[in-house]
Amino acid sequence: MRLTVFSTVLAVLSLLAPSLIRAEEVMIKPDVVYGHKFGLATTFDVFTPAQNANGAAVLFMVSGGWYSSWSPPEQIQPRFKPLTDQGFTVFAVRHGSSPRFSIAEAVADVRRSVRFIRLNAEAYQVDPDRIGVFGMSAGGHLSLMLGTASDEGNADSKDPVDQVSDRVQAVVAYVAPTDLRIMAMDAPDRLAAYQRFPALEIDANTAEPDSPIVHVTPDDAPTLLLAGAKDELVPISHSRKILVAFEKANVETKLIEFENAGHGFGGEDAKQATDAMVDWFVTHLTEKP
């Protein structure tokens, strides 16, 4: 998941101060700190269209195998161009990485990122009620957790960030694990490939709270699923089963299956997936007349 989905790992060529940078038609604000733990900062980069921003935010979960890597933001900016060209402000969200941090801690991190962005929506010139999220593989899993297991915040918390909702209004999940219980160490049909991922050194009981499929309810965000029929790492059954759960709960959902794709898309499949992702966010996050 870490290597196949997040494409190639970009070399770290420079360190960037958290100031505003202009990259063609996009303003980049790198390394915004949205939280701290164990003396470490959790951060995101912001990509804002220089013109014609539509006021909606789309968060990208920087995660493969629940490992979150840093790359120079001006180098990853082109992957967000289909969204920024449509006026979306994109946030590339990093979380505490495996093996130091667990899947549960990664979920907590990205939930905090939504709260932080909503709390500071005015500063980023985005609508706090128009937030979408997408990701690939582990990033898709984290996106689904935001779509299914979010809350309205804790009004009694002393931390103003924790008082804010972490709900999102639209989700796109690429090749996403939806039931971690069948990936856990004690799962009877666990795939051998999962031994390569320290984050999955968990039992089924530990896995259950972070399995999106167990959290599906009628108030979940509209969700687009993109999956490869030949995926041998996260079988397409993950997407098919949560599709059924969404449909039973009357959640707006759609699954696009790519017949010849595995764990990741290339060529025409990649273009079709990107177009579908952008269309989903345009439909669910742009203001209606």
Side-chain angles (χ1 to χ4, degrees):
M1 279 179 280
R2 173 179 171 184
L3 297 177
T4 58
V5 172
F6 205 62
S7 62
T8 56
V9 177
L10 298 172
V12 177
L13 300 179
S14 62
L15 295 177
L16 297 175
S19 57
L20 207 59
I21 300 170
R22 182 178 291 276
E24 300 176 351
E25 298 178 353
V26 175
M27 302 295 290
I28 301 175
K29 188 173 182 62
D31 293 323
V32 177
V33 176
Y34 69 84
H36 295 90
K37 57 185 184 182
F38 299 100
L40 303 174
T42 47
T43 65
F44 58 71
D45 301 324
V46 190
F47 303 82
T48 306
Q51 297 179 342
N52 302 319
N54 65 25
V58 174
L59 282 58
F60 175 65
M61 302 288 98
V62 183
S63 188
W66 297 277
Y67 178 91
S68 198
S69 61
W70 182 89
S71 298
E74 73 276 14
Q75 291 190 19
I76 63 172
Q77 181 267 327
R79 77 176 57 193
F80 305 131
K81 191 174 188 299
L83 288 165
T84 54
D85 281 354
Q86 291 291 327
F88 293 103
T89 298
V90 178
F91 297 77
V93 177
R94 292 173 285 270
H95 59 78
S97 288
S98 171
R100 175 61 183 85
F101 298 103
S102 68
I103 293 175
E105 289 171 304
V107 171
D109 286 347
V110 299
R111 293 180 75 177
R112 181 178 177 85
S113 76
V114 178
R115 300 187 203 277
F116 183 94
I117 290 165
R118 177 166 280 119
L119 180 65
N120 295 283
E122 185 175 354
Y124 299 116
Q125 298 183 321
V126 297
D127 184 342
D129 295 321
R130 291 191 290 139
I131 298 176
V133 60
F134 79 109
M136 305 173 185
S137 194
H141 161 264
L142 295 173
S143 300
L144 288 171
M145 285 298 294
L146 290 171
T148 61
S150 296
D151 59 47
E152 296 299 335
N154 179 4
D156 296 325
S157 175
K158 295 181 180 180
D159 184 343
V161 175
D162 287 336
Q163 297 174 15
V164 180
S165 169
D166 64 343
R167 292 188 181 275
V168 296
Q169 285 67 57
V171 174
V172 178
Y174 287 70
V175 295
T178 65
D179 190 347
L180 301 187
R181 295 171 298 182
I182 63 175
M183 306 169 77
M185 295 181 69
D186 55 347
D189 298 318
R190 186 180 198 247
L191 298 181
Y194 298 153
Q195 296 177 11
R196 307 198 310 265
F197 299 100
L200 292 173
E201 293 178 2
I202 52 178
D203 60 29
N205 287 334
T206 302
E208 183 168 356
D210 297 309
S211 294
I213 199 166
V214 306
H215 297 290
V216 173
T217 51
D219 61 348
D220 292 344
T223 300
L224 173 64
L225 304 162
L226 303 165
K230 296 183 178 180
D231 193 337
E232 296 181 354
L233 189 59
V234 180
I236 197 169
S237 57
H238 278 268
S239 293
R240 289 173 177 169
K241 288 179 180 178
I242 201 168
L243 175 73
V244 172
F246 281 138
E247 290 176 338
K248 286 182 178 179
N250 294 316
V251 175
E252 184 174 355
T253 188
K254 181 179 181 181
L255 168 60
I256 300 177
E257 298 187 8
F258 294 85
E259 181 179 355
N260 296 311
H263 196 64
F265 310 133
E268 186 59 32
D269 286 346
K271 181 181 184 304
Q272 182 183 346
T274 296
D275 290 346
M277 177 264 292
V278 174
D279 288 346
W280 193 260
F281 289 134
V282 168
T283 298
H284 295 286
L285 297 181
T286 56
E287 292 180 330
K288 304 296 188 295

